[in-house]
Amino acid sequence: MLAFALKRLGLAVLVTLTVSLVSFSLLFMSGDPASAIAGENASATDIEAIRTLYGFDRPFLVQYTDWLFSALRGDFGQSFEWKAPVTTLIWGRLGNSVLVEGLAVLVMWLIALPIGVYVAVRKYSLGDYLATIGGFIGLAIPNFLLALLLMYLSFVWFGTTIGGLFSPEFENARWSLPRVMDFLSRAWAPVLVLATAGTAELIRILRANLLDELKKPYVVTARAKGLPEWKVILKYPVRVALNPLVSTIGWLLPALVSSSVIVSVVLNLPTAGPLLLRSLTSQDMYLAGAIIMLLGVLTVIGTLVSDLLLAWIDPRIRYGSK
């Protein structure tokens, strides 16, 4: 297991370097950042002066190397639009994103696992039909539309708004029990919105995989030996059926961050999504590059975690990699 983990860790480092190179390259493909900083009415002399000031006239690999080593020290450069260090702008918002999306992932698994097992064991029952209908609705309704619907119902029925993650008095306060309670009282809406489609998808995947496993001979043998039904289901077929679900960890969190951009704008959430959208439209390359790279690092970390979990759940994976 240790050799498998070290091998995957080495690959994760190489992939992270590749992600950083691709992230930095995409920013230059989007246009000339010097022209975007100077504005529409700037002269060629002004644009060239800005290009020299920020080092855009240097070779690409030199700029990338400087940016990468600075990023490794925690310095992602200066935001052109905000006139502030990128690190100062993104850490709070990125922390909010990880917190909200992490809770959404937790809710997905807590809901999808028991329902997925139930609908597979009780195939074609009323619960199975209800879960199927609910899953189709969850996949069909866009996240932003569900967010708008929750905002409308909350205002009409309860006279309250559900925008933001904190009340004004807790916006810049330090973390404490009252701030945590205030966060939970507001975070349920974005967590519910983000978890809806993912939960429906996980239920369908688990149901399909578990139905295949329940038909295999080892399940029949386990029943023939007199094992309790709950043990037959949970100890063997569920464990095997979890493999595809565990493999989704790598892309699940970054996908949630990407899908939360419009939801964050609708619900006025102080997360990384709206900041990334604004930095891309204004060609704020260092700010956009930092967020894109960190999202890529999240994907790599998620993939590494999913690989290690798969190897732990299914020994065939780690033995087959030798």
Side-chain angles (χ1 to χ4, degrees):
M1 183 66 182
L2 180 59
F4 179 85
L6 291 176
K7 182 179 179 180
R8 286 297 186 270
L9 184 60
L11 292 174
V13 173
L14 294 177
V15 173
T16 301
L17 292 175
T18 305
V19 168
S20 67
L21 178 59
V22 172
S23 301
F24 197 76
S25 302
L26 289 175
L27 300 176
F28 280 87
M29 294 179 184
S30 62
D32 183 12
S35 301
I37 297 171
E40 297 179 357
N41 299 323
S43 62
T45 304
D46 295 333
I47 295 175
E48 189 62 32
I50 291 176
R51 187 176 290 111
T52 303
L53 176 65
Y54 287 103
F56 296 146
D57 56 343
R58 296 178 299 166
F60 171 80
L61 288 180
V62 174
Q63 296 185 57
Y64 165 71
T65 304
D66 291 344
W67 179 76
L68 178 61
F69 281 103
S70 297
L72 292 176
R73 296 193 302 268
D75 180 14
F76 289 96
Q78 191 86 357
S79 170
F80 303 139
E81 181 181 6
W82 299 88
K83 308 299 181 184
V86 170
T87 307
T88 305
L89 296 172
I90 66 175
W91 281 132
R93 287 178 171 265
L94 192 65
N96 291 336
S97 293
V98 172
L99 189 58
V100 172
E101 277 98 29
L103 287 174
V105 172
L106 181 61
V107 170
M108 284 183 195
W109 280 74
L110 290 177
I111 296 176
L113 281 179
I115 295 180
V117 173
Y118 175 81
V119 296
V121 175
R122 298 288 187 267
K123 184 176 63 171
Y124 302 140
S125 64
L126 177 61
D128 185 17
Y129 287 125
L130 292 177
T132 301
I133 295 173
F136 287 148
I137 295 175
L139 290 172
I141 298 179
N143 286 341
F144 73 91
L145 183 60
L146 182 57
L148 289 172
L149 180 62
L150 284 179
M151 292 180 68
Y152 173 77
L153 294 178
S154 176
F155 182 77
V156 172
W157 290 353
F158 305 105
T160 59
T161 58
I162 57 175
L165 291 177
F166 301 99
S167 301
E169 61 270 21
F170 292 104
E171 189 69 37
N172 298 314
R174 293 184 176 182
W175 282 104
S176 60
L177 183 58
R179 192 170 192 249
V180 170
M181 299 305 295
D182 180 71
F183 169 78
L184 293 177
S185 67
R186 290 174 168 267
W188 66 268
V191 168
L192 178 62
V193 170
L194 293 175
T196 301
T199 301
E201 185 175 0
L202 290 181
I203 290 174
R204 305 307 301 170
I205 294 174
L206 181 58
R207 180 185 184 275
N209 294 332
L210 191 52
L211 284 175
D212 289 337
E213 294 299 322
L214 290 175
K215 300 175 183 177
K216 293 186 176 178
Y218 72 87
V219 178
V220 179
T221 303
R223 287 198 179 100
K225 289 184 176 181
L227 292 178
E229 185 65 16
W230 67 268
K231 194 171 185 179
V232 172
I233 300 298
L234 297 180
K235 188 175 182 180
Y236 300 106
V238 169
R239 185 174 178 179
V240 177
L242 282 177
N243 284 9
L245 292 185
V246 174
S247 65
T248 63
I249 295 176
W251 56 263
L252 194 56
L253 186 57
L256 281 174
V257 174
S258 302
S259 64
S260 68
V261 173
I262 300 179
V263 175
S264 298
V265 173
V266 172
L267 294 177
N268 192 28
L269 304 180
T271 57
L275 191 63
L276 173 60
L277 180 62
R278 181 165 179 175
S279 63
L280 291 173
T281 55
S282 63
Q283 286 189 268
D284 196 342
M285 57 175 292
Y286 289 131
L287 180 57
I291 298 177
I292 292 174
M293 180 178 175
L294 290 174
L295 292 181
V297 170
L298 283 177
T299 306
V300 174
I301 293 175
T303 303
L304 177 62
V305 171
S306 66
D307 286 344
L308 296 179
L309 287 176
L310 283 172
W312 176 62
I313 293 174
D314 192 346
R316 295 174 299 176
I317 295 176
R318 60 176 181 268
Y319 292 139
S321 65
K322 293 182 179 180

